[in-house]
Amino acid sequence: MSSGSSRNAVRNPSDMPVSRPSSPAANVSTKFSHLGRPAAATAKTVTARRPRALRITLCAIAVLVAALILSVFGAWQWVDSKLNRSDWLTDTPNTPASTWLILGSDERDGSTDYGGVDNISGFRTDTILVLIKPKSGPSSLVSIPRDSLMNVDNQYMKINAVALIAGKKALVSNVEQITGQKIDHVAQIKFGGLQNVVNALGGIELCYDEDVQDSYSGLNWKAGCHTADGSTALSFSRMRYADARGDFGRNERQRQVISAIVKKASSSETLTNPSKIVAVSNAAMSALTVDEKTNPYTLLTMALAFKSATGSNGISGSVYWSDPDYYVDGVGSSVLLDDAKNTELFNQLADGTYKAGTVGNLAEG
């Protein structure tokens, strides 16, 4: 059955399943599988749309701050009491490497001022990162595009909507099928937590060389470098419609925000101020949700693996895709993943046999 179409390919729209599950409580006990791919001749790679750097986004903030508190102050009991746990994990058999799923969610909880008119109901997991620490060899951090096309219980959807429509375990199951690896732990942070963290730090320094007045994100920015409060930093991270490079420009600004937060959080100004440490920690932990088996030790291990993967001796990049602009009726433009290449990639990452550097489509850009 045809699953969709490349912009240059001809497909039969009547073959497309466009209906949605009747409710977010769709049965998640059925087998979830991602999409069968079209023949190679119909796939199209759009090189102009390839990102040139890994999407390391806002979901890292809570993990890094928690690790900072753990390593500097040994506040294990405090961190454990602050962890918000939820059922994420499947009964997939264990695999040798330690594997984490790191998610960034745009869920609105009423605690932050998003600004602009770009507001939504429900939530999407718009950042999806797979962190792998093999028994030996380099750690890796690989991104899965939020628009990756999935087939969940015979319903086609983008991967960032799977958790909302079919449940958290359905999302984990799909990632496990893409990677071939058991997800041992999950960490999700709501983007709104960014605002509270930045305010607790007393603002961060951000730079952007263009004037911006974007009604969707609420960003009003004069070209140059400024001290941004939490609301401005959040809008700075979310803005894409006023950026000619769209998501790719937004990804760069998100990495800038993370770097600024980590720099401020690890500065002597912060570390010598106990009240600020407590405020930052509370803000970060309140935005973080983890799986039912996560504890302070696994959280710290995750943070160390994250640091290793993003360092000079680590591995970072994206999964492979055969078409980043694959159209499906009722779903829209989607990213069509390359199953064979991804299976080989993640086997090597889990075995620790892949050399440090960049992987996936990013390595080819």
Side-chain angles (χ1 to χ4, degrees):
M1 179 180 67
S2 297
S3 56
S5 67
S6 173
R7 293 295 187 183
N8 292 336
V10 178
R11 298 290 186 201
N12 181 2
S14 65
D15 290 338
M16 297 306 304
V18 298
S19 61
R20 297 295 191 212
S22 59
S23 74
N27 184 1
V28 299
S29 64
T30 55
K31 181 179 179 181
F32 298 98
S33 61
H34 54 296
L35 190 62
R37 311 306 181 199
T42 67
K44 172 174 69 73
T45 300
V46 184
T47 55
R49 292 189 61 185
R50 288 176 184 162
R52 296 194 178 274
L54 171 68
R55 176 189 291 201
I56 301 177
T57 50
L58 307 181
C59 59
I61 296 169
V63 174
L64 294 174
V65 172
L68 177 67
I69 300 302
L70 283 169
S71 59
V72 175
F73 300 99
W76 296 76
Q77 185 174 357
W78 181 88
V79 171
D80 189 65
S81 70
K82 292 290 184 178
L83 288 176
N84 301 306
R85 296 181 174 90
S86 185
D87 291 339
W88 284 91
L89 304 180
T90 71
D91 58 1
T92 299
N94 290 330
T95 45
S98 296
T99 305
W100 293 266
L101 177 59
I102 306 176
L103 304 169
S105 167
D106 63 4
E107 180 180 356
R108 274 63 166 161
D109 61 4
S111 64
T112 53
D113 175 18
Y114 284 83
V117 298
D118 186 16
N119 293 315
I120 64 168
S121 59
F123 69 97
R124 298 291 187 276
T125 47
D126 279 346
T127 297
I128 303 172
L129 301 171
V130 179
L131 174 64
I132 296 179
K133 183 181 186 299
K135 290 183 177 179
S136 63
S139 295
S140 59
L141 185 67
V142 179
S143 64
I144 299 175
R146 66 179 187 169
D147 290 338
S148 298
L149 189 59
M150 299 288 111
N151 181 353
V152 181
D153 196 19
N154 294 321
Q155 302 295 331
Y156 290 87
M157 64 190 72
K158 297 179 182 181
I159 195 171
N160 71 336
V162 172
L164 172 65
I165 295 174
K168 296 174 180 178
K169 291 187 178 183
L171 173 59
V172 171
S173 179
N174 271 269
V175 173
E176 288 175 335
Q177 292 187 53
I178 291 169
T179 64
Q181 305 300 310
K182 163 71 173 178
I183 298 299
D184 298 303
H185 295 289
V186 179
Q188 175 182 262
I189 185 172
K190 291 178 285 188
F191 288 163
L194 167 72
Q195 178 173 316
N196 297 331
V197 169
V198 172
N199 284 336
L201 284 169
I204 56 175
E205 295 298 315
L206 298 175
C207 299
Y208 192 63
D209 292 334
E210 296 182 21
D211 291 343
V212 176
Q213 286 190 324
D214 179 46
S215 60
Y216 289 95
S217 66
L219 181 63
N220 294 309
W221 185 269
K222 296 292 291 183
C225 297
H226 308 284
T227 299
D229 62 12
S231 179
T232 301
L234 181 58
S235 295
F236 187 90
S237 300
R238 295 176 59 239
M239 187 269 289
R240 61 172 171 156
Y241 295 111
D243 190 325
R245 294 187 300 152
D247 275 341
F248 302 146
R250 176 167 65 175
N251 293 344
E252 288 189 4
R253 288 192 307 280
Q254 289 178 346
R255 290 195 296 274
Q256 183 186 162
V257 170
I258 279 189
S259 296
I261 289 175
V262 172
K263 180 179 179 180
K264 188 74 174 284
S266 59
S267 69
S268 58
E269 174 190 352
T270 299
L271 296 179
T272 57
N273 187 332
S275 62
K276 180 172 288 189
I277 290 173
V278 171
V280 172
S281 301
N282 279 324
M285 296 301 292
S286 65
L288 181 68
T289 299
V290 297
D291 65 90
E292 60 271 31
K293 294 184 179 179
T294 286
N295 57 46
Y297 175 77
T298 57
L299 192 64
L300 177 57
T301 303
M302 175 183 167
L304 295 175
F306 187 100
K307 180 179 180 182
S308 176
T310 56
S312 59
N313 295 320
I315 299 170
S316 63
S318 72
V319 293
Y320 285 102
W321 57 79
S322 58
D323 191 339
D325 192 19
Y326 191 83
Y327 187 81
V328 175
D329 287 345
V331 178
S333 179
S334 306
V335 177
L336 195 63
L337 301 185
D338 189 318
D339 290 346
K341 284 188 175 182
N342 288 327
T343 296
E344 180 180 3
L345 169 63
F346 282 100
N347 283 340
Q348 293 179 14
L349 295 176
D351 290 341
T353 56
Y354 207 104
K355 294 183 180 179
T358 306
V359 302
N361 279 80
L362 293 183
E364 301 174 356

